[in-house]
Amino acid sequence: MKINGTPYRSVWVNEKDGWSVHIFDQTRLPFALDVLQLTTPEQVAHAIKTMQVRGAPLIGAVAAYGLALALRADSSDNALEQQAAMLAATRPTAINLRWAIERMLTHLRPLTPAERVAAAYAEAGRVCDEDAAQNEAIGQHGLELLRTLAAQRGKNDKINILTHCNAGWIATVDWGTALAPIYMAHDEGLNVHVWVDETRPRNQGAALTAWELGSHGVPHTVIADNAGGHLMQHGLVDIVIVGTDRVTRNADVANKIGTYLKALAARDNNVPFWVALPSTTIDWRVADGVHEIPIEERSGTEITHISGRDDNGQISRVQITPDGSKAANPAFDVTPARLVTGLITEKGCCAATPEGLLSLFPEQG
């Protein structure tokens, strides 16, 4: 995707500065476009934990490169296992992280220590290339849904899409998941408009999704998190498309906290609720999302404090709760499959059922 006309991916390697890994510092967006240079696995782990890098597919890709950085210092068997475990423990909910680390270990364990560094960089690069290709395919399949809506309503009629959190290119290596069909529809000339809910407590919608869409020229409007149901009641939402951090084999969906409430409102108002994901986000080992997916509990300060730009253009952090008030901060919730209209994957769209998933991925049966 492009920023001010220049194409970027969300992670890249610079051979000229010691094969360091570069990412955008997402905690600085939308007010500053800062690039972080990561040279150690500890820096990668810190970036993941603090959400300088976030989004399930991108976390996996950056962690893969983190293992490559680790092997530059020590490529022994013990170091490989220890550094992999350290990186895998940084975020518990998004399954792409574990998937990427396990893929790297499978590829690297049979090799000699002398072979591992070059092989690790090459395999991490393949992880990135495959993610970009998968997300582009997701965009094409999701575009068909929006084309169908346009045909039903008339090409010039506005299609109102509601999304939650950020599932755009900044959350993946390229293209994004939920936003990929929207970019393609916009570029094709369909009259799309996106309702961007703020996504408290970290405001990824207001900060990241709005920045992405604005940079690409996609019409959008930022709304309060709790406005989505009201808009649906008044016929102002034609379709909901969200991303996900983990999908079970029964098609339960773990995503940013608040997704479940959007799905309930969509069901009550007969609004299609679609989830976009690469197959790397499916956890075939888990069936019941509510009881089996670990939900990350993040710091209460994300609730009690908020950052923004003041009238003087300065970025500041302020407290919004009384002294002494406790805050609970579950970072994700699980939307049961019964509330999901369907899944958009790189292999096509399917019903949110075990049978639907297996129709696209029969090798998992």
mmCIF file of all heavy atoms in Angstrom, residues 239-266:
data_model
loop_
_atom_site.group_PDB
_atom_site.id
_atom_site.type_symbol
_atom_site.label_atom_id
_atom_site.label_comp_id
_atom_site.label_asym_id
_atom_site.label_seq_id
_atom_site.Cartn_x
_atom_site.Cartn_y
_atom_site.Cartn_z
ATOM 1 N N ILE A 239 -23.176 -3.634 5.673
ATOM 2 C CA ILE A 239 -22.374 -4.823 5.933
ATOM 3 C C ILE A 239 -21.338 -4.488 6.990
ATOM 4 O O ILE A 239 -20.843 -3.351 7.055
ATOM 5 C CB ILE A 239 -21.694 -5.333 4.634
ATOM 6 C CG1 ILE A 239 -21.022 -6.688 4.853
ATOM 7 C CG2 ILE A 239 -20.737 -4.312 4.072
ATOM 8 C CD1 ILE A 239 -20.501 -7.327 3.550
ATOM 9 N N VAL A 240 -21.035 -5.453 7.847
ATOM 10 C CA VAL A 240 -19.942 -5.333 8.806
ATOM 11 C C VAL A 240 -18.827 -6.282 8.354
ATOM 12 O O VAL A 240 -19.081 -7.442 8.047
ATOM 13 C CB VAL A 240 -20.390 -5.698 10.236
ATOM 14 C CG1 VAL A 240 -19.224 -5.555 11.217
ATOM 15 C CG2 VAL A 240 -21.576 -4.853 10.677
ATOM 16 N N ILE A 241 -17.598 -5.763 8.292
ATOM 17 C CA ILE A 241 -16.441 -6.599 7.996
ATOM 18 C C ILE A 241 -15.377 -6.313 9.052
ATOM 19 O O ILE A 241 -14.972 -5.156 9.232
ATOM 20 C CB ILE A 241 -15.853 -6.340 6.598
ATOM 21 C CG1 ILE A 241 -16.919 -6.419 5.509
ATOM 22 C CG2 ILE A 241 -14.738 -7.349 6.309
ATOM 23 C CD1 ILE A 241 -16.394 -6.119 4.106
ATOM 24 N N VAL A 242 -14.952 -7.348 9.764
ATOM 25 C CA VAL A 242 -13.920 -7.193 10.781
ATOM 26 C C VAL A 242 -12.808 -8.207 10.520
ATOM 27 O O VAL A 242 -12.969 -9.150 9.745
ATOM 28 C CB VAL A 242 -14.487 -7.399 12.206
ATOM 29 C CG1 VAL A 242 -15.595 -6.394 12.494
ATOM 30 C CG2 VAL A 242 -14.990 -8.831 12.407
ATOM 31 N N GLY A 243 -11.698 -8.009 11.176
ATOM 32 C CA GLY A 243 -10.616 -8.979 11.144
ATOM 33 C C GLY A 243 -10.722 -9.896 12.353
ATOM 34 O O GLY A 243 -11.741 -9.935 13.047
ATOM 35 N N THR A 244 -9.659 -10.629 12.632
ATOM 36 C CA THR A 244 -9.667 -11.553 13.768
ATOM 37 C C THR A 244 -8.233 -11.928 14.135
ATOM 38 O O THR A 244 -7.331 -11.904 13.300
ATOM 39 C CB THR A 244 -10.474 -12.828 13.454
ATOM 40 O OG1 THR A 244 -10.336 -13.760 14.544
ATOM 41 C CG2 THR A 244 -9.996 -13.492 12.192
ATOM 42 N N ASP A 245 -8.059 -12.276 15.414
ATOM 43 C CA ASP A 245 -6.768 -12.720 15.914
ATOM 44 C C ASP A 245 -6.687 -14.237 16.048
ATOM 45 O O ASP A 245 -5.584 -14.784 16.131
ATOM 46 C CB ASP A 245 -6.483 -12.074 17.275
ATOM 47 C CG ASP A 245 -6.292 -10.583 17.149
ATOM 48 O OD1 ASP A 245 -7.286 -9.836 17.119
ATOM 49 O OD2 ASP A 245 -5.124 -10.157 17.071
ATOM 50 N N ARG A 246 -7.830 -14.900 16.104
ATOM 51 C CA ARG A 246 -7.836 -16.363 16.132
ATOM 52 C C ARG A 246 -9.246 -16.851 15.808
ATOM 53 O O ARG A 246 -10.227 -16.319 16.326
ATOM 54 C CB ARG A 246 -7.416 -16.889 17.510
ATOM 55 C CG ARG A 246 -7.170 -18.399 17.500
ATOM 56 C CD ARG A 246 -6.857 -18.990 18.881
ATOM 57 N NE ARG A 246 -5.745 -18.392 19.583
ATOM 58 C CZ ARG A 246 -5.005 -19.033 20.485
ATOM 59 N NH1 ARG A 246 -5.260 -20.312 20.763
ATOM 60 N NH2 ARG A 246 -4.025 -18.419 21.127
ATOM 61 N N VAL A 247 -9.335 -17.872 14.964
ATOM 62 C CA VAL A 247 -10.602 -18.529 14.639
ATOM 63 C C VAL A 247 -10.463 -20.007 14.972
ATOM 64 O O VAL A 247 -9.466 -20.640 14.612
ATOM 65 C CB VAL A 247 -10.956 -18.343 13.145
ATOM 66 C CG1 VAL A 247 -12.168 -19.187 12.762
ATOM 67 C CG2 VAL A 247 -11.221 -16.876 12.845
ATOM 68 N N THR A 248 -11.449 -20.562 15.657
ATOM 69 C CA THR A 248 -11.391 -21.974 16.017
ATOM 70 C C THR A 248 -11.872 -22.840 14.860
ATOM 71 O O THR A 248 -12.442 -22.356 13.888
ATOM 72 C CB THR A 248 -12.263 -22.259 17.243
ATOM 73 O OG1 THR A 248 -13.648 -22.205 16.856
ATOM 74 C CG2 THR A 248 -12.007 -21.262 18.360
ATOM 75 N N ARG A 249 -11.673 -24.146 14.989
ATOM 76 C CA ARG A 249 -12.131 -25.061 13.936
ATOM 77 C C ARG A 249 -13.654 -25.087 13.838
ATOM 78 O O ARG A 249 -14.215 -25.516 12.833
ATOM 79 C CB ARG A 249 -11.582 -26.467 14.171
ATOM 80 C CG ARG A 249 -12.100 -27.184 15.404
ATOM 81 C CD ARG A 249 -11.574 -28.628 15.432
ATOM 82 N NE ARG A 249 -12.080 -29.376 16.576
ATOM 83 C CZ ARG A 249 -11.449 -29.489 17.728
ATOM 84 N NH1 ARG A 249 -10.271 -28.891 17.895
ATOM 85 N NH2 ARG A 249 -11.975 -30.185 18.723
ATOM 86 N N ASN A 250 -14.342 -24.614 14.889
ATOM 87 C CA ASN A 250 -15.802 -24.489 14.844
ATOM 88 C C ASN A 250 -16.245 -23.112 14.364
ATOM 89 O O ASN A 250 -17.437 -22.819 14.350
ATOM 90 C CB ASN A 250 -16.400 -24.766 16.215
ATOM 91 C CG ASN A 250 -16.313 -26.235 16.598
ATOM 92 O OD1 ASN A 250 -16.078 -27.090 15.739
ATOM 93 N ND2 ASN A 250 -16.495 -26.538 17.866
ATOM 94 N N ALA A 251 -15.279 -22.239 14.037
ATOM 95 C CA ALA A 251 -15.532 -20.905 13.464
ATOM 96 C C ALA A 251 -15.932 -19.862 14.488
ATOM 97 O O ALA A 251 -16.499 -18.826 14.131
ATOM 98 C CB ALA A 251 -16.555 -20.971 12.335
ATOM 99 N N ASP A 252 -15.649 -20.083 15.783
ATOM 100 C CA ASP A 252 -15.726 -18.987 16.741
ATOM 101 C C ASP A 252 -14.595 -18.014 16.444
ATOM 102 O O ASP A 252 -13.515 -18.415 16.007
ATOM 103 C CB ASP A 252 -15.585 -19.506 18.177
ATOM 104 C CG ASP A 252 -16.742 -20.398 18.597
ATOM 105 O OD1 ASP A 252 -17.833 -20.283 18.006
ATOM 106 O OD2 ASP A 252 -16.545 -21.216 19.527
ATOM 107 N N VAL A 253 -14.833 -16.730 16.716
ATOM 108 C CA VAL A 253 -13.910 -15.683 16.284
ATOM 109 C C VAL A 253 -13.457 -14.843 17.475
ATOM 110 O O VAL A 253 -14.283 -14.214 18.155
ATOM 111 C CB VAL A 253 -14.584 -14.767 15.246
ATOM 112 C CG1 VAL A 253 -13.699 -13.579 14.916
ATOM 113 C CG2 VAL A 253 -14.932 -15.553 13.985
ATOM 114 N N ALA A 254 -12.157 -14.834 17.746
ATOM 115 C CA ALA A 254 -11.595 -13.929 18.748
ATOM 116 C C ALA A 254 -11.079 -12.686 18.044
ATOM 117 O O ALA A 254 -10.311 -12.772 17.086
ATOM 118 C CB ALA A 254 -10.466 -14.610 19.509
ATOM 119 N N ASN A 255 -11.517 -11.543 18.518
ATOM 120 C CA ASN A 255 -11.069 -10.283 17.926
ATOM 121 C C ASN A 255 -11.066 -9.215 19.015
ATOM 122 O O ASN A 255 -11.407 -9.472 20.173
ATOM 123 C CB ASN A 255 -11.991 -9.889 16.761
ATOM 124 C CG ASN A 255 -11.392 -8.786 15.899
ATOM 125 O OD1 ASN A 255 -10.212 -8.831 15.551
ATOM 126 N ND2 ASN A 255 -12.180 -7.781 15.556
ATOM 127 N N LYS A 256 -10.685 -8.014 18.643
ATOM 128 C CA LYS A 256 -10.578 -6.917 19.594
ATOM 129 C C LYS A 256 -11.858 -6.773 20.413
ATOM 130 O O LYS A 256 -12.973 -6.924 19.897
ATOM 131 C CB LYS A 256 -10.291 -5.616 18.840
ATOM 132 C CG LYS A 256 -9.959 -4.447 19.750
ATOM 133 C CD LYS A 256 -8.655 -4.681 20.469
ATOM 134 C CE LYS A 256 -8.317 -3.533 21.417
ATOM 135 N NZ LYS A 256 -7.064 -3.800 22.144
ATOM 136 N N ILE A 257 -11.699 -6.474 21.677
ATOM 137 C CA ILE A 257 -12.838 -6.332 22.577
ATOM 138 C C ILE A 257 -13.885 -5.383 21.967
ATOM 139 O O ILE A 257 -13.539 -4.323 21.434
ATOM 140 C CB ILE A 257 -12.368 -5.819 23.967
ATOM 141 C CG1 ILE A 257 -13.457 -5.976 25.021
ATOM 142 C CG2 ILE A 257 -11.835 -4.416 23.882
ATOM 143 C CD1 ILE A 257 -13.642 -7.395 25.484
ATOM 144 N N GLY A 258 -15.131 -5.789 22.010
ATOM 145 C CA GLY A 258 -16.212 -5.018 21.410
ATOM 146 C C GLY A 258 -16.760 -5.621 20.130
ATOM 147 O O GLY A 258 -17.849 -5.257 19.685
ATOM 148 N N THR A 259 -16.026 -6.567 19.561
ATOM 149 C CA THR A 259 -16.490 -7.217 18.333
ATOM 150 C C THR A 259 -17.790 -7.990 18.587
ATOM 151 O O THR A 259 -18.714 -7.963 17.756
ATOM 152 C CB THR A 259 -15.410 -8.162 17.782
ATOM 153 O OG1 THR A 259 -14.199 -7.432 17.585
ATOM 154 C CG2 THR A 259 -15.838 -8.787 16.469
ATOM 155 N N TYR A 260 -17.854 -8.683 19.706
ATOM 156 C CA TYR A 260 -19.043 -9.470 20.056
ATOM 157 C C TYR A 260 -20.289 -8.594 20.083
ATOM 158 O O TYR A 260 -21.356 -8.974 19.562
ATOM 159 C CB TYR A 260 -18.796 -10.130 21.411
ATOM 160 C CG TYR A 260 -19.940 -10.919 21.999
ATOM 161 C CD1 TYR A 260 -20.739 -11.759 21.224
ATOM 162 C CD2 TYR A 260 -20.209 -10.836 23.366
ATOM 163 C CE1 TYR A 260 -21.770 -12.485 21.792
ATOM 164 C CE2 TYR A 260 -21.240 -11.572 23.942
ATOM 165 C CZ TYR A 260 -22.014 -12.384 23.155
ATOM 166 O OH TYR A 260 -23.035 -13.107 23.717
ATOM 167 N N LEU A 261 -20.187 -7.402 20.651
ATOM 168 C CA LEU A 261 -21.342 -6.505 20.715
ATOM 169 C C LEU A 261 -21.771 -6.051 19.320
ATOM 170 O O LEU A 261 -22.968 -5.906 19.048
ATOM 171 C CB LEU A 261 -21.023 -5.298 21.596
ATOM 172 C CG LEU A 261 -20.733 -5.594 23.064
ATOM 173 C CD1 LEU A 261 -20.433 -4.300 23.826
ATOM 174 C CD2 LEU A 261 -21.908 -6.326 23.717
ATOM 175 N N LYS A 262 -20.816 -5.828 18.438
ATOM 176 C CA LYS A 262 -21.166 -5.457 17.062
ATOM 177 C C LYS A 262 -21.904 -6.609 16.374
ATOM 178 O O LYS A 262 -22.864 -6.392 15.622
ATOM 179 C CB LYS A 262 -19.905 -5.111 16.260
ATOM 180 C CG LYS A 262 -19.124 -3.926 16.781
ATOM 181 C CD LYS A 262 -19.930 -2.649 16.712
ATOM 182 C CE LYS A 262 -19.102 -1.415 17.055
ATOM 183 N NZ LYS A 262 -18.532 -1.406 18.402
ATOM 184 N N ALA A 263 -21.450 -7.832 16.639
ATOM 185 C CA ALA A 263 -22.103 -8.987 16.026
ATOM 186 C C ALA A 263 -23.527 -9.161 16.537
ATOM 187 O O ALA A 263 -24.440 -9.509 15.767
ATOM 188 C CB ALA A 263 -21.285 -10.249 16.301
ATOM 189 N N LEU A 264 -23.734 -8.919 17.814
ATOM 190 C CA LEU A 264 -25.090 -9.010 18.374
ATOM 191 C C LEU A 264 -26.004 -7.967 17.731
ATOM 192 O O LEU A 264 -27.154 -8.267 17.373
ATOM 193 C CB LEU A 264 -25.046 -8.813 19.885
ATOM 194 C CG LEU A 264 -24.488 -9.973 20.712
ATOM 195 C CD1 LEU A 264 -24.278 -9.527 22.155
ATOM 196 C CD2 LEU A 264 -25.425 -11.179 20.664
ATOM 197 N N ALA A 265 -25.512 -6.747 17.599
ATOM 198 C CA ALA A 265 -26.320 -5.694 16.976
ATOM 199 C C ALA A 265 -26.604 -6.021 15.513
ATOM 200 O O ALA A 265 -27.710 -5.792 15.007
ATOM 201 C CB ALA A 265 -25.611 -4.350 17.095
ATOM 202 N N ALA A 266 -25.607 -6.567 14.819
ATOM 203 C CA ALA A 266 -25.807 -6.925 13.416
ATOM 204 C C ALA A 266 -26.866 -8.008 13.281
ATOM 205 O O ALA A 266 -27.735 -7.936 12.403
ATOM 206 C CB ALA A 266 -24.482 -7.390 12.805
#
